[in-house]
Amino acid sequence: MPVLLAFRSGTAEQITEDQIRYVIEATDAAARERDVEIIGDYLSDAFERVIEVPHKKWIATVRINKHDYLGLIGDGWAGTMEYDYHRDNTVIHVMPDGQSGHSYSTVTENVTREGDRMTSRFREYAYYGIENCRPVITRISGHTLVGDTTPASGQ
């Protein structure tokens, strides 16, 4: 009987592909509405945003915690006149032990600030886990795409 109880308690903490898809959809909807608070609800307390900035032949890595990340996106949206956000080419994987998962996707943001329109494409790598019985994002990293490197739909 102890083995059965141990199995049951372990499955309560497993993440599923559907849970990851739900987190992606919820945070994407919040981004389109520029709702920092809802995005924060889906980030782990220990969340980390990793930004890599290439400089000449070196790459500088910056790690941002949840609080600073939410402040950064909130400040960025504050001065934005128009904002369009969408995600394509999403692939989701759950680790064999069910304790975590990750997704890969291309995020495109179109921003208008002070009359200037800018487009950013980012290849996002997001990692997920269970925290307080809820699926959350534990880490986001990736790289900015230069030129038109986004695969066409269906590829």
Side-chain angles (χ1 to χ4, degrees), residues 19 35 44 54 59 89 99 111 121 123 147:
Q19 288 174 314
D35 193 327
S44 165
I59 295 178
N89 307 309
Q99 300 299 303
V111 179
R121 283 192 186 86
R123 188 66 177 157

Side-chain angles (χ1 to χ4, degrees), residues 32-100:
R32 284 189 292 276
E33 295 297 321
R34 303 183 217 182
D35 193 327
V36 175
E37 186 176 336
I38 290 180
I39 290 173
D41 289 344
Y42 291 96
L43 301 182
S44 165
D45 291 339
F47 172 81
E48 179 179 63
R49 173 69 164 91
V50 179
I51 300 172
E52 293 181 342
V53 181
H55 179 69
K56 298 183 182 176
K57 64 179 183 174
W58 306 104
I59 295 178
T61 301
V62 178
R63 298 177 188 283
I64 302 172
N65 66 29
K66 176 180 178 176
H67 178 266
D68 292 343
Y69 176 68
L70 294 174
L72 184 68
I73 61 174
D75 290 347
W77 285 334
T80 301
M81 298 164 55
E82 294 177 22
Y83 181 73
D84 175 56
Y85 175 100
H86 67 273
R87 176 184 306 273
D88 295 302
N89 307 309
T90 301
V91 176
I92 297 172
H93 297 282
V94 174
M95 296 294 98
D97 65 3
Q99 300 299 303
S100 62

Side-chain angles (χ1 to χ4, degrees), residues 1-16:
M1 190 65 145
V3 172
L4 180 59
L5 292 175
F7 177 73
R8 284 187 181 163
S9 67
T11 58
E13 295 294 319
Q14 291 189 329
I15 196 163
T16 67

Side-chain angles (χ1 to χ4, degrees), residues 120-150:
S120 169
R121 283 192 186 86
F122 184 76
R123 188 66 177 157
E124 179 185 274
Y125 307 103
Y127 301 84
Y128 306 83
I130 299 290
E131 182 175 273
N132 300 320
C133 299
R134 295 180 52 238
V136 293
I137 302 168
T138 58
R139 181 177 193 249
I140 295 176
S141 63
H143 60 275
T144 299
L145 300 173
V146 178
D148 188 10
T149 60
T150 306

